[in-house]
């Protein structure tokens, strides 16, 4: 992870860089200024010295000076008069140069160009050691080459020179004339020390002042940027941060108040920042509208999808879903599946016992898909079941008449032109007679006389298509081992990616290879379809129903109908024991069955009916015989509150005595000691069946 | 069901004859309630017990919980069928069976 860099304000950055460049400019300016000042000082000093040298040259008398020069050079002996004159002149000159602070000395020289020497006539140097008259030195040492050409010709321009005593000095020399001839020069020198010092001090002061100004300026700049750049940006940042909070925290705010963090901004800088703020305001408004729209759409979608999955659940629960559905019936095996293509489908299957001996089977397909199909499916399912039940109650076993009546009921108010194809069969369980009628549905596949074939009887018209349609009953007598497979077009019209249909031939082929076990048969058919279709999407609901007829019951059952009261336990056990003893049940098994019967009976007696009311429980005892074994099958049927004891979790039998509860232990003992235990809620009754080999 | 009690100091032996089921279990429960006070050794003799259901197990569990606080409890002469039930329900782990 990269380290988070500390943020620096734009104001600081801008003022720092301003200060930086200001200082650079300042330094350059100071250098230039220093140079200019130095040149200026030099020029001024030079001109001052030239003027002073000229003044001094004017003050001397040529004749007297000529004599003094000759004395100095030793051409002429000194005289009192000449000395007198020199003394007076010295005083005068001293007075003159006193007025110039930096002028250190005035001296008079005679140049001898041949020897390159210069001889002092005299020197006035108030604060130093004066050279004595007649002192000689090299001209070159003092006068640079550039000015030497003027010697003994005219005035020597002021020049720069360095001395041991005074450091840098400006020297100027002016010729002294006698009878138009140059007899010597009046020279002055002036130290630059003070002047340069002044320049240096001046520069330092200016530099300090300007530096201070720069710093002040930097603060001003910083303040300016803070106010005009950083503050507005910070406001925009705050607004952006607030935007989310407001949205999340204040549910009650209406939308305008919710998204107003940018609207509250007051940025009138008249530049890009103002533009930015106004763009953000617009964006906020747009975003607000968008969010509002999105929220509506999303919640709508959410609601739709919730309702759709609810519809899916309701639809799934509409279909009988517990298999085996009638565990106490050994005359047939029944299994059915429905896989909708969308969340809710239009296919359905149904089966129900009409009375003790009649089983109704329905497989149907409503036109269309989705919610409308599901709604129509529910109506169809209910109408078909009700009509079937009421007709059979009246003694008529005619699926055709059921379909006729259901058709006219479904045609009422069917303005959306929905329709449903239905295959309805009613099985007479003891004798295996199956009566069926077909309203535009797929032809069932039948295994009879050890071979598979499609039923080729004529279809009637679909239900809800046209009122007054008539249907025809067909009949087939099932023998033990016969198998009926009914389905919807989702099976035959399952399509692979090459647009090939699964088709009747493949259904038949798969059936011929499948075992005659309802669950395995349907699962095998499904995997055969899946293997054919592969990745292609499922277009239609796939519904299948399988029925294996096993012949009339091998069970011989006796019944005890008794009031569900704990006090009757002894009677119940006496009944069971009598049956078990008749069948020569081993003692240990008898005890296990007794325990199971007690637990189940006490359960019904305690919970099935409310304490003040009483109800009955029907106990059926049967013996089921196989080739080499026989089992006791005991069924408890009560009309109490629907309760499936198998749905309760098993108790934890590994807990210590202190942690143990006693709940669920009875049912657990039954489960453990019996070979099988099944529950069904059928026709308003709880049916619990246990089976134990004896 | 018949219950035979035998008390020696603080040791109580209860022999049960017949069926311990939903109907008879409350009888054993009240018998225990009345006589367990001060007992440190409780022994059930199941030699003549023919049958036990979950109601009987419930009474045994509550007796075991009581005896855990004041002493010990054991079962003697447990028949094979009854032992099976104790095994299946996990009671074999919480009861002392000799």
């Amino acid at each position: 992870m990269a380290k988070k860099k500390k943020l620096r304000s734009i104001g600081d950055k801008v003022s720092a860089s301003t200060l930086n460049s200001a200082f650079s400019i300042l330094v350059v300016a100071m250098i230039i200024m220093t140079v200019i000042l130095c040149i200026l000082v030099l020029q001024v000093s030079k001109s001052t010295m030239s003027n002073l040298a000229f003044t001094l040259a004017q003050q001397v008398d040529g004749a007297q000076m000529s004599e003094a020069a000759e004395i100095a050079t030793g051409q002429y002996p000194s005289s009192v008069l000449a000395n007198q004159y020199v003394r007076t002149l010295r005083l005068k000159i001293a007075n003159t140069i006193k007025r110039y602070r930096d002028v250190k000395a005035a001296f008079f020289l005679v140049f001898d160009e041949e020897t390159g020497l210069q001889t002092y006539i005299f020197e006035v140097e108030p604060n130093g050691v004066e050279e004595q008259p007649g002192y000689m030195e090299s001209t070159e040492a003092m006068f640079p080459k550039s000015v030497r050409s003027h010697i003994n010709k005219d005035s020597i321009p002021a020049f720069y020179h360095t001395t041991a005593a005074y450091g840098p000095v400006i020297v100027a020399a002016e010729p002294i004339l006698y009878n138009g001839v140059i007899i010597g020069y009046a020279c002055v020198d002036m130290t630059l020390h003070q002047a340069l010092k002044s320049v240096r001090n001046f520069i330092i002061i200016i530099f300090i002042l300007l530096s201070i100004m720069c710093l002040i300026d930097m603060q001003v700049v910083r303040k300016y940027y803070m106010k005009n750049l950083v503050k507005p940006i910070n406001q925009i940042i705050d607004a952006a941060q607030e935007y989310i909070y407001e949205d999340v925290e204040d549910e009650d705010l209406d939308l305008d108040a919710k998204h107003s963090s940018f609207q509250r901004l007051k940025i009138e800088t008249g530049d890009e920042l103002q533009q930015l703020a106004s763009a953000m305001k617009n964006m906020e408004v747009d975003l607000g509208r968008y969010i509002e729209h999105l929220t509506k759409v999303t919640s709508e979608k959410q609601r739709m999808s919730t309702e759709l999955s609810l519809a899916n659940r309701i639809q799934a629960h509409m279909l009988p879903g517990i298999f085996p559905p009638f565990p106490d019936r050994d005359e047939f095996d029944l299994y059915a599946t429905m896989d909708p293509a969308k969340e809710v489908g239009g296919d359905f299957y149904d089966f129900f016992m009409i009375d003790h001996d009649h089983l109704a089977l329905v497989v149907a397909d409503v036109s269309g898909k989705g919610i409308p199909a599901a709604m129509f499916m529910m109506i169809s399912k209910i109408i078909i079941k009700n009509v079937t039940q009421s007709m059979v109650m009246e003694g008529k076993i005619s699926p055709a008449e059921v379909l006729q009546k259901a058709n006219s009921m479904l045609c009422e108010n069917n303005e959306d032109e929905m329709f449903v194809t239905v295959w309805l069969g009613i099985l007479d369980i003891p004798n295996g007679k199956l009566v069926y009628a077909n309203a535009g549905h797929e032809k069932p596949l039948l295994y009879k006389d050890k071979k598979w074939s499609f039923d080729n009887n004529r279809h009637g018209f679909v239900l809800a298509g046209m009122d007054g349609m008539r249907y025809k009953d067909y009949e087939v007598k099932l023998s033990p081992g016969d198998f009926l497979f009914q389905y919807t077009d989702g099976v035959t019209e399952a399509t692979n990616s090459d647009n090939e249909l699964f088709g009747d031939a493949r259904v038949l082929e798969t059936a011929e290879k499948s075992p005659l076990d309802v669950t395995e048969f349907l699962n095998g058919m499904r995997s055969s379809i899946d293997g054919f279709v592969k990745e292609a999407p499922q277009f239609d609901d796939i519904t299948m129903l399988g029925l294996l007829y096993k012949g009339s019951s091998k069970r011989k059952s006796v019944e005890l109908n008794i009031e569900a009261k704990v006090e009757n336990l002894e009677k119940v056990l006496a009944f069971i024991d009598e049956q078990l003893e008749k069948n020569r049940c081993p003692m240990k098994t008898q005890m296990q069955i007794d325990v199971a019967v007690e637990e189940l009976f006490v359960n019904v007696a305690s919970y099935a009916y409310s304490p003040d009311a009483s109800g009955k429980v029907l106990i059926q005892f049967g013996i089921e015989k196989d080739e080499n074994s026989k089992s006791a099958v005991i069924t408890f049927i009560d009309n109490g509150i629907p309760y499936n004891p198998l749905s309760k979790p098993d108790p934890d039998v590994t807990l210590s005595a202190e942690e143990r509860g006693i709940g669920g232990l009875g049912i657990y003992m039954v489960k453990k000691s019996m070979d099988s235990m099944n529950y069904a809620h059928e026709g308003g009754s709880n049916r619990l069946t246990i089976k134990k080999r004896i | 069901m018949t219950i035979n009690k035998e008390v020696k100091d603080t040791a109580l032996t209860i022999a049960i004859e017949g069926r311990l089921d939903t109907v008879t279990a409350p009888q054993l429960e009240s018998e225990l309630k009345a006589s367990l006070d001060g007992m440190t050794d409780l022994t059930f003799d199941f030699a003549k017990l023919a049958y036990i259901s979950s109601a009987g197990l419930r009474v045994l569990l509550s007796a075991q919980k009581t005896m855990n606080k004041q002493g010990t409890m054991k079962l003697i002469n447990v028949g094979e069928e009854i032992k099976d039930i104790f095994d299946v329900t996990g009671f074999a782990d919480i009861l002392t069976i000799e």
Side-chain angles (χ1 to χ4, degrees):
Chain A
M1 282 273 281
K3 248 190 190 172
K4 205 180 167 191
K5 262 176 138 183
K6 213 188 151 198
L7 286 172
R8 276 182 65 197
S9 168
I10 290 177
D12 290 336
K13 284 182 177 176
V14 170
S15 53
S17 82
T18 311
L19 184 67
N20 207 346
S21 46
F23 259 116
S24 308
I25 294 167
L26 184 59
V27 167
V28 172
M30 285 298 109
I31 291 168
I32 293 169
M33 205 164 171
T34 310
V35 170
I36 290 171
L37 277 176
C38 287
I39 292 169
L40 217 60
V41 162
L42 229 59
Q43 290 304 323
V44 168
S45 303
K46 277 179 178 174
S47 118
T48 310
M49 285 309 95
S50 296
N51 288 341
L52 182 57
F54 182 75
T55 311
L56 293 183
Q58 293 304 310
Q59 279 176 357
V60 301
D61 178 75
Q64 284 171 343
M65 201 59 186
S66 166
E67 193 181 341
E70 278 167 7
I71 293 167
T73 53
Q75 292 166 24
Y76 198 82
S78 76
S79 72
V80 175
L81 208 65
N83 284 343
Q84 180 71 40
Y85 169 69
V86 170
R87 254 200 310 283
T88 316
L89 190 59
R90 282 176 71 105
L91 278 173
K92 206 171 156 190
I93 285 165
N95 278 333
T96 307
I97 63 171
K98 220 190 290 171
R99 295 206 293 275
Y100 300 84
R101 194 191 60 192
D102 290 341
V103 174
K104 293 301 174 191
F107 50 101
F108 295 83
L109 296 173
V110 174
F111 295 99
D112 184 345
E113 277 167 291
E114 276 167 37
T115 60
L117 295 173
Q118 57 193 28
T119 307
Y120 280 78
I121 304 171
F122 65 86
E123 187 180 23
V124 180
E125 188 173 343
N127 305 314
V129 183
E130 293 173 354
E131 300 294 350
Q132 289 307 305
Y135 172 72
M136 290 165 74
E137 62 180 11
S138 162
T139 305
E140 271 178 61
M142 187 183 288
F143 293 85
K145 202 181 170 188
S146 59
V147 299
R148 282 212 292 274
S149 58
H150 297 281
I151 288 173
N152 290 346
K153 287 191 187 82
D154 54 10
S155 343
I156 297 170
F159 60 89
Y160 176 83
H161 176 58
T162 309
T163 66
Y166 304 114
V169 292
I170 295 292
V171 181
E174 205 51 47
I176 301 164
L177 298 171
Y178 177 53
N179 291 339
V181 177
I182 293 170
I183 56 148
Y185 277 80
C187 311
V188 281
D189 65 10
M190 172 194 174
T191 176
L192 286 174
H193 206 262
Q194 284 300 326
L196 289 178
K197 212 165 150 189
S198 302
V199 168
R200 194 194 66 197
N201 290 345
F202 175 72
I203 291 291
I204 288 171
I205 287 165
I206 291 288
F207 186 77
I208 289 170
L209 282 177
L210 287 179
S211 298
I212 290 167
M213 275 173 67
C214 275
L215 287 173
I216 292 167
D217 184 48
M218 186 193 95
Q219 287 307 316
V220 172
V221 166
R222 191 174 178 278
K223 228 174 167 179
Y224 176 82
Y225 277 113
M226 282 296 183
K227 181 167 175 278
N228 292 300
L229 187 68
V230 177
K231 205 175 135 205
I233 289 177
N234 279 336
Q235 285 174 341
I236 293 173
I237 291 171
D238 289 345
Q241 280 169 347
E242 238 172 75
Y243 185 76
I244 303 296
Y245 282 122
E246 280 180 356
D247 201 14
V248 174
E249 312 216 324
D250 267 325
E251 294 261 310
D252 307 334
L253 282 176
D254 66 61
L255 197 81
D256 286 343
K258 243 181 194 180
H259 301 296
S260 65
S261 43
F262 286 106
Q263 307 307 322
R264 287 199 292 272
L265 286 179
K266 281 201 180 63
I267 295 175
E268 273 148 20
T269 50
D271 54 16
E272 289 90 337
L273 283 173
Q274 190 175 335
Q275 279 182 316
L276 175 64
S278 118
M280 298 295 277
K281 282 179 195 177
N282 290 340
M283 189 191 75
E284 185 180 47
V285 172
D286 290 348
L287 211 56
R289 284 202 197 110
Y290 179 69
I291 288 171
E292 186 185 25
H293 178 68
L294 198 66
T295 312
K296 265 192 203 151
V297 170
T298 312
S299 67
E300 187 73 7
K301 264 197 170 165
Q302 186 85 32
R303 198 176 59 80
M304 289 288 284
S305 118
T306 310
E307 285 183 2
L308 212 58
S309 73
L310 206 62
N312 183 18
R313 268 183 34 207
I314 292 171
Q315 197 195 18
H317 291 152
M318 285 288 291
L319 306 182
I322 297 169
F323 295 100
F326 310 109
D328 54 322
R329 304 304 294 242
D330 64 347
E331 298 97 327
F332 59 89
D333 283 345
L334 181 57
Y335 185 56
T337 58
M338 201 277 272
D339 297 314
K342 284 189 172 183
E343 276 106 332
V344 284
D347 274 14
F348 71 94
Y349 65 80
D350 197 8
F351 50 77
F352 46 92
M353 298 294 294
I354 305 165
D355 56 25
H356 190 265
D357 288 337
H358 290 95
L359 170 70
L361 303 165
V362 184
V363 177
D365 182 2
V366 174
S367 60
K369 293 187 187 72
I371 298 275
M375 288 170 76
F376 202 73
M377 167 233 147
M378 293 205 185
I379 302 168
S380 310
K381 178 179 177 291
I382 293 163
I383 286 181
I384 291 168
K385 183 168 181 176
N386 287 349
V387 173
T388 309
Q389 273 173 331
S390 59
M391 283 222 170
V392 175
M393 291 299 170
E394 289 163 18
K396 267 187 251 170
I397 311 283
S398 169
E401 275 185 52
V402 171
L403 292 184
Q404 275 161 39
K405 195 163 178 191
N407 179 48
S408 60
M409 287 170 89
L410 285 170
C411 280
E412 283 170 34
N413 302 321
N414 178 25
E415 291 181 4
D416 293 309
E417 308 289 320
M418 303 285 291
F419 64 86
V420 56
T421 69
V422 181
W423 179 89
L424 170 66
I426 296 174
L427 176 70
D428 186 322
I429 300 169
N431 63 29
K433 190 175 84 178
L434 176 70
V435 185
Y436 61 91
N438 194 333
H441 198 79
E442 319 299 311
K443 37 201 183 187
L445 185 63
L446 200 63
Y447 180 78
K448 195 164 166 51
D449 303 329
K450 300 204 184 307
K451 71 177 202 283
W452 284 99
S453 63
F454 283 102
D455 162 58
N456 277 324
N457 290 320
R458 242 167 53 87
H459 291 188
F461 191 55
V462 295
L463 291 198
M466 194 188 292
D467 201 0
M469 293 307 297
R470 305 196 70 78
Y471 299 90
K472 192 168 171 359
D473 278 328
Y474 296 97
E475 204 180 296
V476 61
K477 175 94 168 62
L478 297 181
S479 309
D482 287 355
F483 196 108
L484 171 81
F485 175 59
Q486 182 55 296
Y487 50 90
T488 57
D489 57 1
V491 173
T492 44
E493 288 169 19
T495 311
N496 70 8
S497 49
D498 296 331
N499 276 328
E500 285 179 290
L501 300 184
F502 189 64
D504 288 354
R506 285 191 185 83
V507 172
L508 189 62
E509 191 186 317
T510 309
E512 279 165 350
K513 285 188 294 192
S514 300
L516 294 172
D517 173 281
V518 284
T519 315
E520 280 180 46
F521 185 91
L522 261 51
N523 291 343
M525 188 61 73
R526 181 64 214 242
S527 42
S528 178
I529 294 169
D530 290 343
F532 172 75
V533 168
K534 295 206 174 73
E535 279 89 36
Q538 184 189 335
F539 282 116
D540 207 350
D541 308 338
I542 294 178
T543 301
M544 299 185 283
L545 180 144
L547 173 84
L548 174 68
Y549 184 67
K550 289 160 60 176
S552 59
S553 182
K554 291 164 208 71
R555 288 177 192 164
K556 288 204 172 63
S557 72
V558 278
E559 293 180 349
L560 173 70
N561 200 357
I562 195 164
E563 207 164 331
K565 281 196 170 359
V566 175
E567 293 87 313
N568 285 332
L569 176 63
E570 267 176 72
K571 283 180 198 161
V572 170
L573 288 176
F575 164 72
I576 295 293
D577 285 347
E578 187 196 333
Q579 298 303 321
L580 290 174
E581 275 155 29
K582 257 193 221 165
N583 285 285
R584 286 188 293 277
C585 174
M587 270 315 287
K588 188 182 167 185
T589 312
Q590 183 174 340
M591 199 197 91
Q592 287 176 325
I593 294 174
D594 280 358
V595 170
V597 168
E598 177 188 334
E599 300 297 349
L600 296 179
F601 178 73
V602 170
N603 229 20
V604 173
S606 315
Y607 306 117
Y609 304 102
S610 58
D612 40 331
S614 68
K616 287 206 158 186
V617 55
L618 178 69
I619 302 170
Q620 297 175 331
F621 182 98
I623 293 292
E624 203 174 299
K625 277 184 190 156
D626 259 331
E627 291 98 59
N628 43 22
S629 73
K630 58 179 182 177
S631 298
V633 179
I634 304 165
T635 305
F636 291 77
I637 302 164
D638 70 77
N639 297 312
I641 49 165
Y643 174 69
N644 178 2
L646 293 167
S647 66
K648 264 183 95 171
D650 287 343
D652 185 348
V653 297
T654 61
L655 294 174
S656 73
E658 307 303 325
E659 297 164 314
R660 280 287 191 107
I662 199 73
L665 201 57
I667 294 299
Y668 181 71
M669 285 162 71
V670 179
K671 260 196 236 176
K672 284 283 169 189
S673 59
M674 295 297 106
D675 296 336
S676 75
M677 182 173 179
N678 288 300
Y679 170 84
H681 191 259
E682 184 64 35
S685 300
N686 291 304
R687 301 175 75 99
L688 194 75
T689 304
I690 52 173
K691 194 168 161 183
K692 176 82 180 171
R693 188 168 162 170
I694 56 176
Chain B
M1 183 188 72
T2 3
I3 301 171
N4 292 312
K5 286 202 300 181
E6 199 185 319
V7 184
K8 240 181 233 170
D9 297 334
T10 60
L12 172 66
T13 304
I14 294 179
I16 298 170
E17 204 179 325
R19 303 167 65 91
L20 184 52
D21 60 22
T22 311
V23 178
T24 56
Q27 200 184 325
L28 176 63
E29 193 172 14
S30 56
E31 192 65 56
L32 285 171
K33 219 174 246 173
S35 43
L36 271 188
D37 217 22
M39 291 298 155
T40 57
D41 291 289
L42 174 64
T43 307
F44 283 104
D45 186 345
F46 281 175
K48 288 175 182 166
L49 180 71
Y51 174 96
I52 187 165
S53 74
S54 69
L57 294 178
R58 200 173 64 81
V59 178
L60 288 185
L61 178 66
S62 98
Q64 182 70 57
K65 283 182 184 174
T66 310
M67 291 315 291
N68 279 352
K69 289 182 204 127
Q70 60 193 60
T72 58
M73 174 178 132
K74 64 179 179 183
L75 274 52
I76 57 171
N77 303 321
V78 180
E80 194 200 331
E81 294 87 356
I82 306 291
K83 180 77 166 44
D84 279 350
I85 289 175
F86 288 154
D87 285 337
V88 163
T89 53
F91 268 60
D93 298 335
I94 54 174
L95 298 174
T96 311
I97 301 168
E98 286 183 353

